[in-house]
Amino acid sequence: MSQNKQIKSNIIRQGSSHSLWHDPYHLLLTIDWYWFLGLIGLAYIMTNALFALLYLAGGDCIQNARHGYFWDAFFFSVQTMASIGYGAMYPLRECTYTNILVTIESITGLMVLTVATGLMFARFSRPTAKVLFSRVAVISPYNGVPTLMFRTANQRHNQILQAELQVTLVRNQVTLEGEFMRRFYDLKLVRSQSLVFALTWTAMHQIDRGSPLYGATAESLAQMEAEIVIMLTGIDDTVSQAIHARYSYMAEELLWNHRFVDILVRKGDGGSVIDYTRFHDVRES
């Protein structure tokens, strides 16, 4: 399962008039597929229902349609919008109103089909990352230095080229003047780049005197509402497009004096196996 956890925030935007419906293109690109298909289907049905009412308002101008029968007008509208080709029902030649309405609906159907096709293609072609992050991060000595560590893995059977990890500590802070701020501190990794990211990657940040985490404890991080934010970027070698994945760890998701269980198992024939079933497992150090 891909993980792309949103950065947590308990801040309410007050006085902002921005709404998802004010940016419908972005909304239709980002909502779940079942909502997308549902909205497209609903818009299609409502548009045909509107044209059906307009056809009924013109009187008996559709050949072989029952007088005042909504569903005959509705299915006639579907045939017109989809350019299926008329069967038993067709517009009467002498009814100018209906023929003008058919022309308008044909143009409308062409534009709706173009927009829907573009949105569908944009959703399918949008590059996405299948990156797995460990559910928790650990802090334990590594080569004698306290080190923050977390795991990440590429879930696709391909490679992420020029992969780069950026890790940021976000915490509350009060300045000497008494002003409250939400501060961001970059955490330097032992290795922040990988030319080829194909399997797993254990990221490590040494907590030395130059680290923003130096001297921190589980209690102090919780008091400051600290959060470790991770951003992974790279190029998917299959589609040659930039991709990204993000994750975050709250203070309670940092396990002190723990280590990750080894997931690399060596076989008797000299080969190795990566056991992803133990990817999230930790042990006390």
Side-chain angles (χ1 to χ4, degrees):
M1 181 180 64
S2 175
Q3 298 182 0
N4 203 28
K5 186 162 67 172
Q6 296 284 352
I7 297 175
K8 298 176 181 178
S9 174
N10 57 0
I11 299 176
I12 299 174
R13 297 184 180 184
Q14 188 174 9
S16 174
S17 60
H18 179 72
S19 170
L20 292 175
W21 295 103
H22 292 168
D23 194 355
Y25 177 75
H26 183 267
L27 174 65
L28 291 172
L29 284 182
T30 55
I31 58 176
D32 293 331
W33 271 102
Y34 57 87
W35 280 109
F36 174 77
L37 295 176
L39 287 174
I40 293 296
L42 180 62
Y44 185 80
I45 292 174
M46 292 181 62
T47 303
N48 280 288
L50 174 61
F51 275 101
L53 295 175
L54 293 175
Y55 286 126
L56 291 176
D60 296 329
C61 290
I62 302 175
Q63 184 67 36
N64 298 326
R66 286 166 286 187
H67 175 73
Y69 192 64
F70 172 80
W71 290 112
D72 281 355
F74 178 83
F75 292 124
F76 174 79
S77 173
V78 170
Q79 296 174 29
T80 302
M81 180 170 291
S83 301
I84 296 174
Y86 297 121
M89 294 185 294
Y90 55 89
L92 296 177
R93 182 175 57 184
E94 60 272 15
C95 189
T96 304
Y97 169 82
T98 300
N99 283 282
I100 291 176
L101 199 56
V102 165
T103 303
I104 295 174
E105 185 173 8
S106 298
I107 297 173
T108 302
L110 180 62
M111 291 188 295
V112 170
L113 177 62
T114 302
V115 172
T117 302
L119 286 170
M120 187 76 70
F121 177 78
R123 289 179 64 93
F124 270 112
S125 62
R126 188 177 57 175
T128 57
K130 286 288 185 180
V131 175
L132 179 68
F133 291 90
S134 56
R135 296 192 187 103
V136 296
V138 299
I139 298 177
S140 62
Y142 182 82
N143 288 335
V145 180
T147 303
L148 167 70
M149 292 177 281
F150 61 89
R151 277 176 176 166
T152 181
N154 181 15
Q155 291 187 288
R156 288 199 173 111
H157 292 185
N158 69 346
Q159 298 175 347
I160 298 177
L161 307 178
Q162 300 177 16
E164 182 177 359
L165 275 173
Q166 294 178 311
V167 183
T168 302
L169 168 65
V170 186
R171 68 185 183 189
N172 297 337
Q173 184 172 320
V174 179
T175 66
L176 295 177
E177 293 76 21
E179 296 180 355
F180 172 84
M181 298 184 67
R182 188 73 169 162
R183 296 294 300 272
F184 294 74
Y185 298 90
D186 293 332
L187 300 183
K188 183 180 179 181
L189 298 180
V190 174
R191 182 169 65 93
S192 62
Q193 295 179 330
S194 177
L195 291 179
V196 177
F197 177 32
L199 298 174
T200 64
W201 184 355
T202 300
M204 295 183 290
H205 166 72
Q206 293 184 328
I207 306 176
D208 52 21
R209 290 186 178 274
S211 169
L213 288 172
Y214 185 75
T217 63
E219 292 75 17
S220 65
L221 292 178
Q223 185 178 6
M224 292 183 291
E225 299 182 4
E227 182 177 6
I228 306 295
V229 180
I230 297 103
M231 176 68 72
L232 186 147
T233 58
I235 300 175
D236 189 302
D237 73 334
T238 303
V239 296
S240 298
Q241 289 185 303
I243 57 175
H244 73 275
R246 63 184 180 273
Y247 202 77
S248 68
Y249 298 101
M250 302 301 292
E252 60 270 17
E253 295 171 319
L254 303 178
L255 300 184
W256 295 72
N257 299 318
H258 281 71
R259 293 183 181 275
F260 285 111
V261 172
D262 191 6
I263 61 174
L264 183 63
V265 181
R266 298 194 179 276
K267 299 191 298 182
D269 58 2
S272 301
V273 175
I274 296 179
D275 186 3
Y276 285 101
T277 62
R278 308 175 67 189
F279 185 82
H280 304 284
D281 294 348
V282 297
R283 61 178 175 81
E284 292 186 5
S285 57

